[in-house]
Amino acid sequence: FTYDELNKTANRLGHAVLARCDRRTNVPILLFFTQGMALISAMLAVLKAGKAYVADDVSLPSTKANQILDKVKPPLILTDRAHFHLAQELFGGYSAILDVTELGASYSVENPRSSASPDSVAYIHFTSGSTGDPKGVVWNHRNELFGIRVKTNRLRISADDRVTLV
């Protein structure tokens, strides 16, 4: 993937998300992928659409995955061909499921219009919880920007640098 391809893929998927969900921000979208480019594209797409993402690990036991689903109640689940049938098996009765590998070129590659604000939820990260019950930690755009600014300032990262992990 080039950055241009990543951006176009995320934009098309962002438009697909908006076509399936209302325009309200803070609507959680469940991501059901293994780590890789499909997950990164989906994260960016959800943010571009002004929604919040929740990444659900495909290797979690089904009871944990369903606990997260019950807490989040997403109107849409994004997954890929490799995990589509598992997503249907686990979540099919709860939410709409979109296989991102089946997404055609009919959606625009232009940036979706988003009404997200700095205080809109960007993502919810679930921990195992000390009781074994998954707990969601909510991050808004302002929190994430602050964390990025701290890292870039502390490490003195500039436009001339090339880093992969920040």
Side-chain angles (χ1 to χ4, degrees):
F1 257 175
T2 64
Y3 284 112
D4 185 55
E5 290 169 328
L6 174 62
N7 188 51
K8 287 178 180 175
T9 300
N11 285 344
R12 270 197 299 274
L13 184 50
H15 284 289
V17 167
L18 288 172
R20 287 165 176 79
C21 298
D22 61 32
R23 293 242 172 219
R24 291 178 296 131
T25 57
N26 293 338
V27 173
I29 306 297
L30 190 76
L31 307 181
F32 195 67
F33 298 90
T34 54
Q35 291 187 7
M37 289 310 297
L39 175 60
I40 293 168
S41 297
M43 287 174 168
L44 290 172
V46 169
L47 293 173
K48 285 173 170 268
K51 311 298 182 208
Y53 70 81
V54 178
D56 198 348
D57 187 346
V58 297
S59 66
L60 283 177
S62 61
T63 54
K64 292 282 186 201
N66 277 309
Q67 285 176 320
I68 291 171
L69 182 80
D70 288 340
K71 290 176 184 291
V72 175
K73 298 182 182 14
L76 181 64
I77 296 170
L78 302 181
T79 192
D80 55 11
R81 184 177 297 125
H83 302 99
F84 185 75
H85 293 295
L86 180 58
Q88 281 186 314
E89 183 181 310
L90 292 175
F91 313 126
Y94 300 100
S95 301
I97 301 171
L98 175 62
D99 178 352
V100 302
T101 51
E102 296 296 321
L103 193 66
S106 62
Y107 292 100
S108 172
V109 296
E110 299 301 316
N111 285 321
R113 300 187 119 219
S114 169
S115 59
S117 73
D119 294 316
S120 296
V121 176
Y123 63 92
I124 304 169
H125 175 76
F126 275 85
T127 66
S128 61
S130 58
T131 64
D133 184 29
K135 306 277 188 297
V137 179
V138 177
W139 283 85
N140 65 25
H141 292 274
R142 187 183 311 272
N143 297 132
E144 193 60 27
L145 180 59
F146 176 76
I148 291 168
R149 298 274 318 259
V150 166
K151 289 174 189 169
T152 56
N153 290 344
R154 186 170 292 148
L155 297 173
R156 294 184 175 89
I157 296 172
S158 73
D160 297 325
D161 293 317
R162 299 293 177 257
V163 291
T164 60
L165 298 177
V166 178

